């Protein structure tokens, strides 16, 4: 047998030990990197720098017109209530106006109710309690100059944030200009289903995703339920009810077309319409006798599944919600830069807002959860639900105030939502990594040919192949 020379054995042994040492170092570095990514150093000091709140409006009347207009009119706040909550605020609209969305509502429908006003005032009080002494301090107290308000141009969202402000500033003696509520072009990017879409290609993408086999199969499975609920509601539907259209993946499916594109004499109402009508009726014990609480829950569960199933696809999520999510990230990055200049210079500067409030819709919250790749909540966001993004500065312990990192923590109604796009779900993510994720590219390929169908890149959706 061949004998390996002693010096060869020595070299082999040294190489093996060196490889093990390098592997250990690499694992240590990787472990350290993963640790620093997932959470701040336990010895660091954490300081809240800014908070972004995106809330759903309060309780509303059904968007789809029903026959009993007088009843729904009676649910709305009196004019003097609306005048009271609007006091101290000023709307900022573009000269050309905003496009009217199908879910805008007309008459008493799609409007904030008195119950909704109270819900939002209560949310304002809750936010004041949460942010007092953490975001707002004796040095920088809560004041209109330290907040920014943006809203979709729907009466219910504008009135919702006005009611919220009454709770937020309750009892405060304010000597300040009116708080501006910016609604400029917000209907185009604060919701995932603007009308028209940010890009016409998004409707093509929605149609493509809606034809996936498991979605078509689910629609067929629940078609009987859709007919049952539609039939039960027929006597309550008002004039123009069939013309209302909104929702991801549902706008092209008009009420006279079947799910496979064939014509039918009678087609059930779109799922989004069924869900919103049932929710409004059920909350007031007005369900038709042939429908049960279980029917309402099944419809709402399916609508939630549809929305998440479509918007959880990264290409559609980016197409629908990237502009808003990117604005949130840019706002936080700008706050970091301004705070840095403030620390380094004694010159006067315009203070960036500590609190940014976006008044929007349930679809907005669902879209943001998907595009930011956050954990899905156990249930659909109810009226007055709010997503909170906290910008947190990590500082080295001691008197140096050396900034180590900036983190973002998300929560829904006070419950922390972990990010799911990291290797391990994390309670906080570095702002820099969040920015990278927001700009990452995504594609959709044909299952049969492997050719690229859609691509999302540099803030734009492109349909790369005819279907």
């Amino acid at each position: 047998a061949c004998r390996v020379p002693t010096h060869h054995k020595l070299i082999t042994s040294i190489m093996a030990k060196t490889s093990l040492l390098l592997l250990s170092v690499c694992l240590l570095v990787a472990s350290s990197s993963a640790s620093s990514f997932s959470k701040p150093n336990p010895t660091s000091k954490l300081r809240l720098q800014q908070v972004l709140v995106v809330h759903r409006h309060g309780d509303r009347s059904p968007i789809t017109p029903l026959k009993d207009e007088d009843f729904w009119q009676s649910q709305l706040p009196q004019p003097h209530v609306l005048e009271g909550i609007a006091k101290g605020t000023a709307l900022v609209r573009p000269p050309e106006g905003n496009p009217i969305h199908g879910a805008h509502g007309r008459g008493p429908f799609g409007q904030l109710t008195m119950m909704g006003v109270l819900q939002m005032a209560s949310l304002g009080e809750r936010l004041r309690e949460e942010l007092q002494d953490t975001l707002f301090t004796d040095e920088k107290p809560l004041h209109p100059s330290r907040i920014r308000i943006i809203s979709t141009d729907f009466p219910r969202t504008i009135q919702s944030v006005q009611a919220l402000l009454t709770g937020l500033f309750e009892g405060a003696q304010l000597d300040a200009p009116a708080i501006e509520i910016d609604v400029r072009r917000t209907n185009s990017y604060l919701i995932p289903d603007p009308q028209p879409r940010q890009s016409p290609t998004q409707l093509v993408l929605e149609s493509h995703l809606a034809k996936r086999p498991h979605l078509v199969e689910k629609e067929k499975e629940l078609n009987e339920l859709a007919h049952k609920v539609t039939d039960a509601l027929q006597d309550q539907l008002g004039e123009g009810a069939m013309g209302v259209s909104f929702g991801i993946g549902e706008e092209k499916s008009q009420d006279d077309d079947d799910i496979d594109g064939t014509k039918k004499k009678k087609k059930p109402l779109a799922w989004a319409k069924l869900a919103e009508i049932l929710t409004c009726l059920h909350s007031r014990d007005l369900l038709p006798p042939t429908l049960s609480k279980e029917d309402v829950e099944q419809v709402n569960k399916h609508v939630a599944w549809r929305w998440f199933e479509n918007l959880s696809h990264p290409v559609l999520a980016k197409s629908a919600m990237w502009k808003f999510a990117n604005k949130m990230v840019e706002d936080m990055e700008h706050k970091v830069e301004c705070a840095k200049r403030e620390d380094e210079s004694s010159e006067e500067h315009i203070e960036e807002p500590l609190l940014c409030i976006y008044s929007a819709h349930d679809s907005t919250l669902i879209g943001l959860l998907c595009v930011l790749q956050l954990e899905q909540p156990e249930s659909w966001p109810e009226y007055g639900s709010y997503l909170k993004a906290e910008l947190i500065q990590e500082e080295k312990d001691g008197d140096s105030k050396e900034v180590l990192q900036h983190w973002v923590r998300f929560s829904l109604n006070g419950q922390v939502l972990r990010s799911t796009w990291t290797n391990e779900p994390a309670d906080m993510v570095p702002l820099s990594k969040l920015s990278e994720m927001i700009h990452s590219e995504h594609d959709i390929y044909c299952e049969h040919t492997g050719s690229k169908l859609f691509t999302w890149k540099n803030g734009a959706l492109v349909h790369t192949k005819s279907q």
Side-chain angles (χ1 to χ4, degrees):
C2 295
R3 296 181 62 185
V4 178
T6 303
H7 69 282
H8 282 184
K9 289 183 178 180
L10 181 61
I11 292 173
T12 302
S13 175
I14 292 173
M15 290 179 65
K17 290 179 179 178
T18 302
S19 298
L20 286 173
L21 179 61
L22 288 172
L23 178 60
S24 299
V25 171
C26 289
L27 289 174
L28 180 62
V29 170
S31 174
S32 174
S33 174
S35 175
S36 64
F37 178 85
S38 60
K39 57 184 178 182
N41 190 307
T43 63
S44 298
K45 292 192 299 184
L46 302 180
R47 183 163 62 88
L48 189 60
Q49 274 199 310
Q50 188 181 49
V51 172
L52 279 61
V53 170
V54 185
H55 68 76
R56 184 187 182 187
H57 55 74
D59 178 78
R60 60 162 171 77
S61 57
I63 296 168
T64 307
L66 302 181
K67 287 181 178 177
D68 196 350
E69 289 197 20
D70 290 341
F71 170 78
W72 292 108
Q73 184 67 49
S74 72
Q75 302 297 297
L76 307 187
Q78 295 294 317
H80 72 273
V81 174
L82 297 179
E83 291 171 7
I85 62 176
K87 188 177 180 181
T89 65
L91 296 183
V92 182
R93 281 196 171 98
E96 70 276 13
N98 287 311
I100 301 299
H101 193 274
H104 183 275
R106 64 166 180 78
F109 299 107
Q111 306 302 316
L112 188 71
T113 65
M114 189 62 211
M115 185 190 306
V117 171
L118 297 176
Q119 284 176 338
M120 299 312 297
S122 177
L123 176 57
E125 294 172 3
R126 176 174 176 174
L127 289 175
R128 174 162 45 84
E129 293 173 1
E130 288 182 3
L131 302 177
Q132 192 63 42
D133 300 325
T134 56
L135 182 67
F136 298 107
T137 62
D138 292 339
E139 218 174 67
K140 294 184 177 182
L142 173 62
H143 189 271
S145 64
R146 294 191 174 95
I147 67 173
R148 176 187 296 150
I149 309 293
I150 297 175
S151 173
T152 55
D153 196 0
F154 288 62
R156 61 180 178 269
T157 50
I158 294 170
Q159 293 163 6
S160 287
V161 76
Q162 288 172 332
L164 182 152
L165 291 171
T166 65
L168 185 66
F169 288 101
E170 184 182 24
Q173 299 297 320
L174 301 178
D175 182 18
I179 300 174
E180 291 187 346
I181 301 176
D182 190 350
V183 298
R184 288 174 294 183
R185 291 170 284 279
T186 51
N187 286 7
S188 68
Y189 72 92
L190 287 189
I191 48 179
D193 60 332
Q195 298 175 342
R197 297 291 194 263
Q198 294 180 44
S199 162
T201 307
Q202 183 180 325
L203 280 175
V204 181
L205 174 58
E206 290 176 30
S207 176
H208 171 79
L209 294 177
K211 294 174 184 174
R212 288 174 292 175
H214 70 290
L215 279 167
V216 174
E217 187 61 33
K218 191 72 172 178
E219 290 295 298
K220 290 180 179 178
E221 180 185 326
L222 294 176
N223 197 38
E224 184 177 342
L225 174 65
H227 277 283
K228 172 188 173 181
V229 176
T230 299
D231 290 342
L233 294 175
Q234 281 297 329
D235 291 340
Q236 299 196 36
L237 297 179
E239 184 180 351
M242 303 303 286
V244 177
S245 176
F246 55 89
I248 288 288
E250 293 200 286
E251 288 189 30
K252 294 195 73 176
S253 299
Q254 298 300 319
D255 292 319
D256 60 349
D257 290 337
D258 201 357
I259 54 177
D260 59 2
T262 59
K263 292 287 180 180
K264 291 187 64 175
K265 292 182 179 179
K266 182 180 179 183
K267 181 188 182 296
L269 291 172
W271 285 108
K273 293 163 73 170
L274 291 177
E276 69 99 6
I277 296 172
L278 290 183
T279 298
C280 292
L281 294 178
H282 178 55
S283 66
R284 292 166 174 80
D285 296 323
L286 294 175
L287 282 179
T290 56
L291 297 181
S292 66
K293 177 183 176 182
E294 288 70 30
D295 292 325
V296 177
E297 291 174 349
Q298 192 173 1
V299 169
N300 285 335
K301 182 178 179 180
H302 179 58
V303 170
W305 179 83
R306 277 178 56 98
W307 277 85
F308 276 114
E309 193 66 21
N310 282 312
L311 281 171
S312 61
H313 195 291
V315 176
L316 180 54
K318 290 285 180 73
S319 175
M321 296 302 296
W322 176 82
K323 186 174 180 179
F324 185 15
N326 184 56
K327 174 175 174 51
M328 293 176 66
V329 171
E330 287 183 342
D331 283 350
M332 289 186 280
E333 290 175 332
H334 189 52
K335 178 65 178 178
V336 169
E337 289 299 317
C338 289
K340 183 179 177 181
R341 289 199 299 268
E342 180 182 346
D343 292 338
E344 294 176 349
S345 173
S346 58
E347 295 180 5
E348 290 189 7
H349 60 279
I350 299 175
E351 184 180 6
E352 279 298 296
L354 294 176
L355 175 62
C356 298
I357 300 175
Y358 297 88
S359 185
H361 310 261
D362 52 353
S363 61
T364 307
L365 298 181
I366 298 302
L368 285 175
L369 294 181
C370 291
V371 76
L372 295 170
Q373 297 184 40
L374 301 174
E375 290 177 316
Q376 292 184 9
E378 295 180 357
S379 58
W380 188 263
E382 297 181 349
Y383 294 124
S385 291
Y386 67 106
L387 177 69
K388 183 163 67 174
E390 299 171 281
L391 176 63
I392 298 170
Q393 181 168 287
E394 179 186 3
E395 300 172 356
K396 192 172 183 179
D397 192 21
D399 299 327
S400 67
K401 292 187 178 181
E402 178 185 348
V403 178
L404 301 176
Q405 178 73 279
H406 287 91
W407 299 83
V408 183
R409 177 170 57 205
F410 295 96
S411 62
L412 183 66
N413 299 329
Q415 179 180 351
V416 173
L417 297 178
R418 297 183 299 174
S419 171
T420 60
W421 58 272
T422 55
N423 292 332
E424 294 183 3
D427 290 349
M428 290 193 282
V429 294
L431 177 59
S432 58
K433 296 296 182 182
L434 185 63
S435 181
E436 288 178 15
M437 185 274 287
I438 286 295
H439 292 91
S440 59
E441 301 171 9
H442 301 279
D443 302 301
I444 294 180
Y445 293 88
C446 177
E447 293 182 1
H448 304 293
T449 66
S451 58
K452 188 182 294 185
L453 299 177
F454 298 91
T455 185
W456 190 93
K457 182 178 180 181
N458 297 330
L461 174 67
V462 179
H463 187 200
T464 57
K465 181 178 174 62
S466 299
Q467 298 177 58

